[in-house]
């Protein structure tokens, strides 16, 4: 039987609650005859920081590097100044483990309401490949004459040939493997960011020569936002930089029905990977058994796909599809008609039905 070592970082707020349901789903996968998982828990996040002043110890990083995969609940604590945990834990994990791809599917499940009028599940089914280690997130910049009337703040977008190329190549490969419309759209801003996206565009068309089976397209980021609302069916796979990817995937989460179901993967295709629900720690719902665990469960589905456990990934996907179609009323916290644990039980139940 295949066995995987999985690091679990429940984190802050509702993170622990949704991770418990994600673990439940993995246990159901094992019971149904799928792979076995060994879980190791890490208490990274706001609580550890407030207690010990520790964010992400080096020893933890090297342990995480060795695991087959990492599942993260949420990071963010109301008593910690914004930016500290984000930079010290989440972004640091992305950088230290060189998780250079942020993969974010935008999928409307049948039975889920989208705010887009007249759009059906067939129309909203695409994947955003977001560069995850460079751009405006690289932390390059600084202040000049800080605190004076002549203050200057500089925040630079770092785009390396290597960083851009490995992201774009991954997107082409992913698009080929996904095997749908086989269309890859570069989302940029070549009309204004004439250095950064000049590089992106050149690399994109250079790489495209190795993928004659993939149709290429380009859209400015503002137009991408427009099409995502007006004609989301235009998209199959979108590749973009870190900042634009951050913004358009929140828009993506909304058109697929909300944060309750939006999952993402932080991936180094040659190494570690970390999967997470993309919504935050939602402190106001913490401990109330009200938050929707489906996004965390969908992140498990992505993890299984990444581990090439395609059958198990399909069990999880189908179970989520059944729960949203047959059982819960809405995806919104507190209005599902079931609690967090009960939704997790429903998913686990459907997964176990695959038992042979
Ligand atoms: C995300 C989040 C993070 C980001 C924050 C919490 C630093 O918004 O995963 O999209 O900006 O990447
Ligand atoms: Mn974001």
């Amino acid at each position: 039987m295949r066995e995987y070592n999985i690091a679990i970082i429940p984190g802050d707020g509702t993170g622990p609650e949704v991770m418990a349901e994600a673990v439940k789903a993995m246990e159901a996968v094992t019971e149904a005859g799928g792979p076995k998982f060994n879980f190791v828990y890490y208490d990274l996040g706001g609580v550890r920081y407030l207690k010990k002043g520790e964010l992400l110890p080096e020893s933890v990083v090297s342990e995480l590097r060795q695991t087959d995969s990492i599942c993260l609940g949420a990071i963010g604590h109301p008593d910690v100044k914004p930016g500290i945990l984000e930079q010290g834990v989440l972004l640091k994990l992305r950088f230290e483990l060189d998780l250079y791809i942020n993969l974010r599917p935008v999928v409307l499940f049948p039975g889920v309401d989208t705010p887009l009028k007249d759009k059906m599940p067939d129309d909203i089914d695409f994947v955003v490949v977001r560069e995850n280690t460079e751009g405006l997130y690289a932390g390059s910049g600084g202040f000049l004459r800080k605190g004076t009337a002549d203050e200057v703040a500089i925040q630079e977008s770092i785009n390396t040939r290597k960083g851009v190329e490995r992201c774009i190549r991954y997107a082409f490969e992913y698009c080929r493997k996904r095997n749908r419309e086989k269309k890859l759209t570069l989302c940029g801003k070549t009309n204004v960011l004439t250095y950064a996206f000049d590089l992106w565009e050149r690399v994109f068309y250079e790489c495209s020569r190795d993928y004659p089976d993939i149709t290429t397209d380009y859209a400015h980021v503002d137009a991408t936002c427009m099409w995502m609302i007006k004609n989301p069916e235009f998209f199959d796979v979108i590749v973009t930089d870190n900042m634009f990817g951050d913004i358009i995937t929140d828009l993506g989460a909304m058109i697929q029905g909300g944060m309750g179901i939006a999952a993402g993967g932080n991936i180094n295709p040659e190494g570690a990977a970390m999967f997470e629900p993309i919504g935050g720690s939602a402190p106001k719902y913490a401990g109330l058994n009200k938050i929707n665990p489906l996004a965390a469960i969908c992140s498990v589905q992505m993890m299984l796909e990444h581990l090439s456990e395609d059958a198990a990934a399909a069990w999880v996907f189908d179970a989520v599809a059944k729960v949203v179609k047959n059982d819960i009323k809405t995806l919104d916290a507190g209005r599902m008609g079931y609690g967090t644990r009960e939704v997790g039980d429903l998913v686990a139940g459907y997964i176990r039905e695959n038992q042979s």
Side-chain angles (χ1 to χ4, degrees), residues 75 86-87 90-91 94 102 104 130 132 137 242-243 246 249-250 266 276 278:
I75 295 286
E86 291 85 341
Q87 281 187 356
L90 184 61
L91 297 183
R94 290 179 182 167
N102 195 325
R104 296 192 166 176
R130 163 185 173 189
N132 211 28
Y137 280 68
N242 209 341
M243 188 79 258
D246 177 49
T249 54
D250 266 31
N266 302 267
E276 56 176 344
I278 77 172

Side-chain angles (χ1 to χ4, degrees), residues 106-109 111-121 123-124 228-229 232 251-258 331:
V106 178
V107 178
L108 179 65
F109 282 83
V112 170
D113 281 337
T114 172
L116 302 187
K117 189 163 159 282
D118 299 334
K119 294 297 175 188
M120 310 304 279
D123 301 315
I124 303 176
M228 277 174 69
I229 302 297
L251 183 57
M254 290 306 113
I255 67 172
Q256 72 180 120
L331 296 183

Side-chain angles (χ1 to χ4, degrees), residues 298-320:
C298 286
S299 76
V300 166
Q301 181 251 328
M302 293 186 72
M303 179 194 82
L304 292 167
E305 250 172 35
H306 177 72
L307 296 170
S308 300
E309 292 290 347
D310 293 347
W315 297 343
V316 176
F317 186 90
D318 293 344
V320 171

Side-chain angles (χ1 to χ4, degrees), residues 34-64:
K36 188 173 176 316
F37 306 96
N38 305 311
F39 302 113
V40 183
Y41 284 78
Y42 292 89
D43 66 347
L44 303 175
V47 177
R48 178 172 179 153
Y49 176 70
L50 289 169
K51 236 199 286 182
K52 303 188 191 156
E54 257 172 22
L55 287 162
L56 179 61
E58 216 32 65
S59 60
V60 173
V61 176
S62 40
E63 279 179 46
L64 292 175

Side-chain angles (χ1 to χ4, degrees), residues 173-190:
E173 292 288 339
Y174 185 88
C175 190
R176 179 179 271 171
K177 189 163 160 241
R178 177 173 149 92
N179 200 19
R180 293 283 179 79
E181 274 171 82
K182 291 196 157 191
K183 176 177 166 191
L184 180 62
T185 304
L186 171 64
C187 162
K189 190 74 185 171
T190 52

